[in-house]
C-alpha cells in the first residue's frame, strides 16, 4: 500500500528544534538542532518551543531559494554571480523558464510548512503545559500564531489554494478560507501581544501588537480589502510606537536594527555576532576582485537602476545598490575587479563581511511600507487627500517632490512605483507584480516573457509524486 507523505507533516511526527535561551536571549536559536522527547530528560519550556519557530528564519533556505522566488524572478534583480554558475535553478527563475521541478519552490514550500508545523506544536504545548500566568501564556501563543500566519501568507500568495495543515494534509483550501485562517491567527496576536516598548531588552525582536497590526494591514491589502487595510495601517501609524527613520540608508545598517521604524525583523544577532540567517549576506555579497566578499547572487537589474534614475531617487538608489568601484559608508572599497557592476546593499554586512554566519537582521515589515499601504488603500477608497499625505510622507524622507495629482488611476500607478523604489530587495516585488496585475508588462519591459500560468507557482513535483491526489496549479 502506498503511504501518502506530505512534506508539511514532517515536523508533526517527532521533535522540534529547540535550545535553551543562551544568556536569556531568544535570538540564539539554531534552526537545525532537534530534541527528540524520547532521547532527552529535559523538560523544555513553552517559551523555548516558541523560540524554535523564530529560529526557522535563520535557515539556509532564506539565503538562496527565498531570494530566487521573491527577487531574482522579478524585474528588480538578475541572477548575478558568474555567468557560468546557474545557481541550481536560479538562472531558470531569472529567465522565467522554470518548471515544477525547480528546487527553490520545493525548498520554500517545505520550509514554510515546517515552520507552520513548529508553530502549531508550540501552541499546543503551551496550551497544555500548565502555565498559571494567563497573560504570559496567551502572549506565547500569540507569538506562535503570528508566525504561523506569516508563513501561511507566503504560501497563499505563492500557490493560491493550499492545504491548511491543521485541518488536512492534502486537501487544498480555497484562497478565501486560507486568508480567513490567517486573519484569525493575527487577530488573536493583536489581542494578546504587548506593544514594542513593553518588552524587556532581552526580548527585543519578538512579535508585537504593532507587528501584528501591520501584518494584518498587509494581508488585507493583498485581498483588496481597502477599508480594513487603511484602518489597520492607521492603527499602527497613530499608535505613537513607531516613527520613520530620518536617514533611509541607516535602516539596513547595524545601528538601524530594531529601530524606530521597525515592526518586525528576522533576528540574526544578539549583543555580539551570533548565529544569523545562514549565508544571507555572503550569497549576495560582491564576488571577485580584491574585496571578494561572497557569491554575488541576486544583483540589482538595469531595469531597477533605470527606475531609480528616472525618478531622480538618488537617496534610495544609493542605499539599495552597491556599485563597482564604490567606497561604502564603512570605508570598504568595492574595487573594480568585482565580477558584477552592482550588488544588493540592503544585504551587506559591515561587521561580518563575507562570513557565512551573517549578523544581518532581515527587515520584514516597517513603517515606510505601512504608509504606502495606507496610501494605496485610501486612493482605492476615493480619499485622495489621505492617500497623498501618506505617499508624500514617504517621499519627503528621501527628498523627492510631493505628488499632487488627484486622478485615481494616475495616483494608483505612482503609489505602485513608490512601493517598488521604497521596498526594493525587501522580498515582495514578485508578489506585488502578481497582485497588481503588472507582471506581464513589467517582465516584458525587462526582456522576459511572462505566461499566465505564472500567476501562481507550481506545486513542487516531489510533493505531487508523494501525494498525487493533490491538484496542480493550472498550466503546470
Amino acid at each position: 500500500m502506498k503511504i501518502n507523505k506530505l512534506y508539511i507533516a514532517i515536523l508533526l511526527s517527532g521533535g522540534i528544534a529547540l535550545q535553551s535561551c543562551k544568556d536569556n536571549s531568544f535570538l540564539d536559536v539554531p534552526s537545525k538542532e532537534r530534541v527528540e522527547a524520547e532521547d532527552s530528560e529535559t523538560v523544555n519550556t513553552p517559551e523555548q518551543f516558541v523560540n524554535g519557530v523564530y529560529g526557522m528564519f535563520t535557515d539556509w533556505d532564506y539565503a538562496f531559494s527565498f531570494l530566487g522566488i521573491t527577487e531574482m524572478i522579478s524585474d528588480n534583480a538578475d541572477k548575478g554571480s558568474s555567468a557560468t554558475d546557474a545557481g541550481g535553478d536560479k538562472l531558470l527563475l531569472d529567465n522565467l523558464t522554470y518548471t515544477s521541478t525547480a528546487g527553490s519552490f520545493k525548498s520554500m514550500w517545505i520550509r514554510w510548512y515546517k515552520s507552520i508545523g513548529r508553530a502549531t506544536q508550540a501552541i499546543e504545548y503551551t496550551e497544555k503545559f500548565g502555565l498559571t500566568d494567563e497573560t504570559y501564556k496567551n502572549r506565547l501563543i500569540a507569538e506562535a500564531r503570528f508566525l504561523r500566519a506569516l508563513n501561511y501568507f507566503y504560501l497563499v500568495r505563492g500557490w493560491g489554494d493550499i492545504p491548511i495543515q491543521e485541518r488536512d494534509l492534502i486537501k487544498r483550501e480555497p484562497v478565501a478560507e486560507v486568508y480567513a485562517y490567517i486573519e484569525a491567527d493575527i487577530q488573536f496576536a493583536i489581542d494578546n501581544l504587548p506593544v514594542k516598548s513593553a518588552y524587556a531588552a532581552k526580548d527585543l525582536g519578538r512579535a508585537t501588537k504593532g507587528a501584528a497590526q501591520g501584518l494584518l494591514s498587509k494581508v488585507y491589502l493583498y485581498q483588496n480589502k481597502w477599508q480594513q487595510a487603511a484602518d489597520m495601517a492607521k492603527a499602527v501609524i497613530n499608535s505613537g510606537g513607531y516613527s520613520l527613520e530620518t536617514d533611509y540608508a541607516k535602516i539596513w545598517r547595524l545601528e538601524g536594527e530594531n529601530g524606530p521604524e521597525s515592526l518586525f525583523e528576522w533576528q540574526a544577532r544578539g549583543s555580539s555576532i551570533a548565529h544569523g540567517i545562514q549565508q544571507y549576506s555572503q550569497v549576495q555579497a560582491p564576488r571577485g576582485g580584491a574585496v571578494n566578499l561572497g557569491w554575488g547572487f541576486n544583483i540589482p537589474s538595469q531595469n531597477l537602476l533605470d527606475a531609480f534614475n528616472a525618478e531622480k531617487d538618488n537617496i534610495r538608489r544609493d542605499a539599495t545598490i552597491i556599485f563597482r568601484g564604490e567606497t561604502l559608508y564603512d570605508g570598504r572599497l568595492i574595487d573594480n575587479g568585482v565580477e558584477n557592476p552592482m550588488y544588493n546593499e540592503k544585504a551587506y554586512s559591515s561587521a561580518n563581511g563575507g562570513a557565512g554566519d551573517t549578523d544581518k537582521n532581515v527587515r520584514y515589515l516597517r513603517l515606510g511600507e505601512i504608509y504606502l499601504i495606507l496610501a494605496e488603500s485610501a486612493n482605492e477608497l476615493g480619499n485622495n487627500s489621505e492617500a497623498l499625505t501618506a505617499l508624500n510622507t514617504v517621499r519627503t524622507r528621501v527628498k523627492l517632490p510631493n505628488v499632487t495629482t488627484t486622478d485615481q488611476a494616475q495616483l494608483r500607478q505612482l503609489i505602485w512605483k513608490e512601493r517598488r523604489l521604497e521596498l526594493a530587495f525587501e522580498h515582495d516585488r514578485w508578489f506585488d507584480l502578481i497582485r497588481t496585475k503588472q507582471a506581464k508588462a513589467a517582465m516584458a519591459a525587462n526582456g522576459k516573457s511572462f505566461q499566465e500560468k505564472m500567476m501562481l507557482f507550481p506545486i513542487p513535483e516531489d510533493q505531487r509524486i508523494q501525494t498525487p491526489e493533490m491538484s496542480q496549479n493550472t498550466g503546470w
Side-chain angles (χ1 to χ4, degrees):
M1 178 178 68
K2 181 178 178 64
I3 299 175
N4 289 332
K5 181 181 73 173
L6 184 59
Y7 285 112
I8 61 181
I10 289 175
L11 197 66
L12 297 180
S13 61
I16 189 166
L18 298 169
Q19 178 176 316
S20 299
C21 298
K22 181 179 179 182
D23 298 328
N24 293 320
S25 172
F26 87 108
L27 304 180
D28 300 321
V29 182
S31 61
K32 295 182 178 179
E33 182 180 354
R34 293 173 62 88
V35 178
E36 301 290 349
E38 64 271 21
D39 295 333
S40 175
E41 295 179 359
T42 302
V43 176
N44 295 295
T45 68
E47 186 167 321
Q48 288 172 309
F49 266 70
V50 175
N51 291 351
V53 189
Y54 288 100
M56 295 296 277
F57 291 115
T58 66
D59 192 84
W60 155 250
D61 291 332
Y62 285 102
F64 210 37
S65 294
F66 180 66
L67 306 180
I69 69 172
T70 60
E71 292 291 348
M72 291 184 216
I73 195 174
S74 80
D75 56 349
N76 270 0
D78 296 324
K79 172 188 71 70
S81 188
S82 170
T84 59
D85 187 349
D89 62 356
K90 305 307 177 294
L91 183 59
L92 299 177
L93 291 167
D94 188 15
N95 291 334
L96 298 186
T97 55
Y98 57 84
T99 69
S100 62
T101 62
S104 293
F105 295 124
K106 174 183 172 181
S107 293
M108 296 316 302
W109 172 268
I110 294 173
R111 171 61 39 185
W112 286 325
Y113 269 119
K114 286 180 72 175
S115 299
I116 287 165
R118 186 174 290 193
T120 299
Q121 226 181 22
I123 292 164
E124 293 172 351
Y125 188 78
T126 303
E127 288 173 337
K128 298 174 182 177
F129 191 77
L131 293 174
T132 57
D133 185 337
E134 285 294 312
T135 300
Y136 175 58
K137 181 181 80 171
N138 287 334
R139 191 207 89 190
L140 292 176
I141 293 170
E143 288 181 60
R145 290 185 70 169
F146 169 86
L147 296 169
R148 184 168 69 181
L150 192 159
N151 283 279
Y152 270 125
F153 188 40
Y154 274 122
L155 286 162
V156 73
R157 287 187 295 168
W159 284 275
D161 298 350
I162 55 168
I164 296 177
Q165 185 186 74
E166 298 74 54
R167 297 178 182 174
D168 191 281
L169 298 180
I170 298 176
K171 179 185 175 183
R172 296 180 66 184
E173 299 273 4
V175 166
E177 287 294 318
V178 180
Y179 270 120
Y181 192 87
I182 290 170
E183 289 173 14
D185 266 355
I186 302 175
Q187 189 59 58
F188 184 90
I190 290 171
D191 294 340
N192 291 279
L193 287 174
V195 297
K196 183 178 179 180
S197 61
Y199 274 119
K202 71 181 181 66
D203 289 318
L204 185 64
R206 290 188 182 277
T208 65
K209 182 183 184 75
Q213 290 172 321
L215 179 58
L216 188 54
S217 72
K218 189 168 180 175
V219 166
Y220 285 144
L221 178 79
Y222 271 79
Q223 298 175 82
N224 297 339
K225 292 184 176 181
W226 307 119
Q227 189 63 61
Q228 296 97 316
D231 290 346
M232 201 53 62
K234 284 188 283 189
V236 175
I237 293 167
N238 296 333
S239 70
Y242 304 93
S243 60
L244 289 182
E245 171 59 60
T246 55
D247 180 356
Y248 180 84
K250 183 179 174 181
I251 297 171
W252 291 275
R253 298 175 186 173
L254 174 60
E255 58 186 322
E257 288 191 346
N258 301 307
E261 183 164 341
S262 174
L263 273 69
F264 189 64
E265 300 181 14
W266 302 346
Q267 301 295 309
R269 59 178 293 138
S271 58
S272 62
I273 295 172
H275 184 77
I277 294 100
Q278 184 185 354
Q279 296 176 270
Y280 180 82
S281 293
Q282 183 186 51
V283 164
Q284 301 177 76
R287 176 187 181 111
V291 66
N292 197 26
L293 293 177
W295 301 3
F297 280 96
N298 196 37
I299 62 173
S301 65
Q302 184 64 43
N303 184 290
L304 177 62
L305 176 60
D306 291 345
F308 278 123
N309 288 338
E311 193 67 13
K312 297 181 173 59
D313 190 355
N314 297 343
I315 290 176
R316 289 187 295 203
R317 178 198 65 196
D318 293 344
T320 303
I321 301 175
I322 294 173
F323 293 95
R324 179 192 282 149
E326 176 183 355
T327 298
L328 297 177
Y329 65 91
D330 58 359
R332 178 174 274 136
L333 172 64
I334 307 303
D335 62 277
N336 288 320
V338 296
E339 191 152 354
N340 304 107
M342 296 182 285
Y343 296 94
N344 175 14
E345 187 158 346
K346 289 183 179 179
Y348 173 70
S349 167
S350 177
N352 268 24
D357 223 5
T358 184
D359 62 338
K360 186 86 177 185
N361 280 10
V362 173
R363 282 62 163 169
Y364 173 75
L365 190 61
R366 56 186 180 83
L367 190 62
E369 180 173 9
I370 302 303
Y371 273 111
L372 293 179
I373 290 173
L374 176 57
E376 185 171 347
S377 301
N379 184 55
E380 297 301 333
L381 291 167
N383 189 342
N384 53 54
S385 176
E386 187 170 54
L388 286 170
T389 298
L391 174 62
N392 289 327
T393 297
V394 173
R395 291 175 62 82
T396 296
R397 168 170 55 182
V398 291
K399 297 179 172 54
L400 292 177
N402 283 347
V403 171
T404 58
T405 182
T406 57
D407 180 87
Q408 187 183 53
Q410 291 179 7
L411 188 51
R412 179 184 297 122
Q413 293 293 329
L414 292 172
I415 292 167
W416 287 348
K417 179 173 67 174
E418 201 71 25
R419 278 189 66 87
R420 183 187 191 188
L421 301 180
E422 174 73 17
L423 304 173
F425 286 96
E426 294 180 50
H427 309 297
D428 273 324
R429 177 59 176 170
W430 180 257
F431 300 125
D432 268 346
L433 289 175
I434 298 299
R435 173 179 68 86
T436 59
K437 297 180 172 57
Q438 298 177 92
K440 186 172 184 178
M443 298 313 293
N446 197 37
K448 311 291 172 62
S449 177
F450 179 88
Q451 303 174 57
E452 189 65 24
K453 67 180 181 178
M454 293 173 181
M455 293 294 289
L456 293 173
F457 295 150
I459 299 293
E461 186 63 22
D462 283 0
Q463 178 67 80
R464 295 267 297 133
I465 291 171
Q466 293 294 336
T467 56
E469 305 95 322
M470 186 181 293
S471 60
Q472 179 59 279
N473 280 328
T474 302
W476 296 106

